Amino acid sequence: MSIDSNVYTRVLRRESHDSRTAPAVVVASLLVILCGGLLVLGIWMIIDERVGDTLAEFLSGRRAAFDVGSVALGAGTILLVLAILLIWLALAPGRRDRRSRTTERLAILVDNGVLADTVADRVAEAEGLDRGNVSVVVGRTQASVHVTPTSGVALNPESVREVAQDTLVAAGFPSTVRVRIAERGVVS
């Protein structure tokens, strides 16, 4: 493997996956605020002993204007939801809607929307349809082609599938293609 292909692999991975910077900054900021608050509380308790006594009475539930159990349950629920969210952010794949490939000389990164537009243009041209009557969605493993034919003109789903597959293969990103042809056509 050449040096260029190592660089290409790293760059393509970076460009095709979402950054985890935003969740990391939020978690770090919350931890800084929590630690800062605990530091201020600790210093305050050293300076004024009554604060420690008041805090101990509050936590024991003797001087509470509200139910301590309800507050603890609410805080626990919020922390549980936050923990589940953070675990999901850490484990989710974080992929962007892009595809990539490399050759010996270059790396190619293509947005799935561009592939979908290319397939739609090619299907509309090959089947003699208006471009607005063809919509395509390209996913990670599959492309879905929806065609609304001109009223009274029959379309062969196999020919549409073949054109879409040939277009994706020519671009270098083969996928399985699903074709759906609308039951009602449009008047041209």
Side-chain angles (χ1 to χ4, degrees):
M1 188 176 251
S2 72
I3 294 173
D4 288 341
S5 62
N6 288 336
V7 171
Y8 291 159
T9 302
R10 190 174 67 244
V11 169
L12 289 175
R13 168 137 175 76
R14 184 182 65 218
E15 291 299 322
S16 63
H17 288 75
D18 280 332
S19 171
R20 302 290 190 212
T21 305
V25 167
V26 168
V27 169
S29 300
L30 289 174
L31 287 175
V32 165
I33 291 169
L34 178 66
C35 290
L38 290 174
L39 179 65
V40 168
L41 183 63
I43 292 172
W44 195 6
M45 287 173 58
I46 291 172
I47 294 173
D48 187 4
E49 292 179 8
R50 291 181 295 167
V51 173
D53 296 337
T54 305
L55 185 62
E57 287 177 10
F58 174 75
L59 291 177
S60 68
R62 284 185 268 155
R63 261 185 75 189
F66 43 85
D67 185 22
V68 176
S70 299
V71 172
L73 182 64
T77 303
I78 291 170
L79 289 175
L80 178 67
V81 169
L82 183 63
I84 290 171
L85 176 69
L86 291 174
I87 289 171
W88 180 78
L89 286 173
L91 298 178
R95 288 186 172 272
R96 294 180 182 168
D97 289 334
R98 296 178 180 171
R99 292 182 179 214
S100 61
R101 72 175 202 176
T102 59
T103 65
E104 289 183 20
R105 293 185 18 199
L106 57 108
I108 300 171
L109 182 72
V110 179
D111 189 85
N112 284 350
V114 173
L115 282 175
D117 287 342
T118 303
V119 171
D121 289 342
R122 183 68 187 107
V123 167
E125 178 185 325
E127 297 297 325
L129 298 168
D130 184 39
R131 171 59 178 86
N133 294 350
V134 181
S135 65
V136 179
V137 176
V138 176
R140 279 187 65 202
T141 60
Q142 190 171 9
S144 177
V145 180
H146 182 263
V147 180
T148 305
T150 304
S151 186
V153 177
L155 286 179
N156 182 4
E158 280 306 312
S159 68
V160 172
R161 180 178 292 109
E162 186 176 312
V163 168
Q165 282 179 337
D166 290 346
T167 304
L168 289 169
V169 168
F173 302 103
S175 294
T176 57
V177 177
R178 264 188 2 203
V179 175
R180 194 175 85 205
I181 297 179
E183 292 178 15
R184 295 181 184 210
V186 293
V187 178
S188 64

